[in-house]
Every structure is written in structure tokens, then in C-alpha cells.
């Protein structure tokens, strides 16, 4: 595994992610923002943030598997949520937890969560892009 996740002393310890990732691999992988589409391009979980977050994480895992990686190789996530408010955090965390259970991993790389007005398709509530490093 080319990624080590760290919570440095002197910074707050956040349960949902680690503050720093250390990459030692040789291949940098950029994964386009993933939305809640299945393999046929059908939106999964319309109106359900948790279901869409889960699907985004699973889509990232699918992309990584294609190039010989897994969620353990993710160095950074950027999350875009439509009309974000802090009261949506439990739904977000539920979707991430469901994906983690299916993946057998705890996806806690450093991340940035941004509220946005809209995404490319009106039924999409979240989009997640990833950067990974592979040996």
C-alpha cells in the first residue's frame, strides 16, 4: 500500500477522515468526479443522499480496481454536495459507512467537502472525485 494516513498532533482529530496522507507510490491516479450512476448510466438513490454517497464511493472503488488499486490507495477526496447544510452530515456519513462495509475498508483519506448550487444532472445530490497513488 502506497498511502499512509496520519492525524498529526496539534491538529484536531476528525473521525470522518485523517488530516494527512503520505504517498510513497509511483503511479498517480486521478479519478473523475463520480456520481450515483450505475454501469448503465441510471441514477441510483434519487432523492437519497446516503444512497448516492454510497454509490459514488463504490464507483470510485470500481475505477480503482480497473487500474489495480483499491480504496486503501486513495490519497485525497473532494466531495461536492448540492445545497449542503451541516444537518446533512449524518446522511453523508451513513452512505460512507455503507460503502465501507461493502468494500471492507474504512475510506478516511483527507477530504474537502464543498456545498454547490447544482451538479450536471438535477437528480444528482453528490459528486466525489479522488486522487490515488499506486506502487
Amino acid at each position: 500500500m502506497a498511502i499512509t494516513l496520519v492525524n498529526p498532533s496539534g491538529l484536531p482529530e476528525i473521525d470522518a477522515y485523517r488530516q494527512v496522507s503520505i504517498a510513497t507510490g509511483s503511479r498517480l491516479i486521478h479519478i473523475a468526479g463520480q456520481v450515483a450512476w450505475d454501469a448503465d448510466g441510471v441514477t441510483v438513490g434519487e432523492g437519497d443522499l446516503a444512497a448516492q454517497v454510497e454509490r459514488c464511493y463504490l464507483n470510485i472503488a470500481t475505477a480503482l480496481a480497473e487500474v489495480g488499486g483499491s480504496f486503501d490507495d486513495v490519497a485525497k477526496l473532494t466531495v461536492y454536495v448540492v445545497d449542503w447544510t451541516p444537518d446533512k452530515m449524518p446522511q453523508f456519513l451513513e452512505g460512507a459507512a455503507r460503502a465501507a462495509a461493502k468494500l471492507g475498508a474504512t475510506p478516511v483519506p483527507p477530504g474537502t467537502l464543498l456545498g454547490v448550487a447544482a451538479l450536471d444532472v438535477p437528480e444528482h445530490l453528490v459528486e466525489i472525485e479522488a486522487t490515488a497513488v499506486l506502487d
Side-chain angles (χ1 to χ4, degrees), residues 61-127:
T62 297
L64 285 166
E66 181 68 22
V67 296
S70 72
F71 228 102
D72 290 333
D73 299 306
V74 174
K76 172 86 168 57
L77 293 173
T78 304
V79 179
Y80 305 90
V81 181
V82 174
D83 296 325
W84 175 258
T85 55
D87 65 313
K88 293 181 179 179
M89 184 59 84
Q91 296 168 354
F92 178 84
L93 293 175
E94 177 188 336
R98 291 193 324 221
K102 287 182 178 176
L103 296 170
T106 303
V108 293
T112 300
L113 191 152
L114 302 164
V116 296
L119 293 170
D120 63 329
V121 175
E123 32 306 317
H124 292 163
L125 304 175
V126 61
E127 182 169 332

Side-chain angles (χ1 to χ4, degrees), residues 21-43:
S21 67
I22 302 164
T24 58
S26 59
R27 293 190 301 154
L28 186 60
I29 311 299
H30 297 279
I31 298 174
Q34 295 299 301
V35 294
W37 275 333
D38 66 12
D40 296 320
V42 176
T43 298

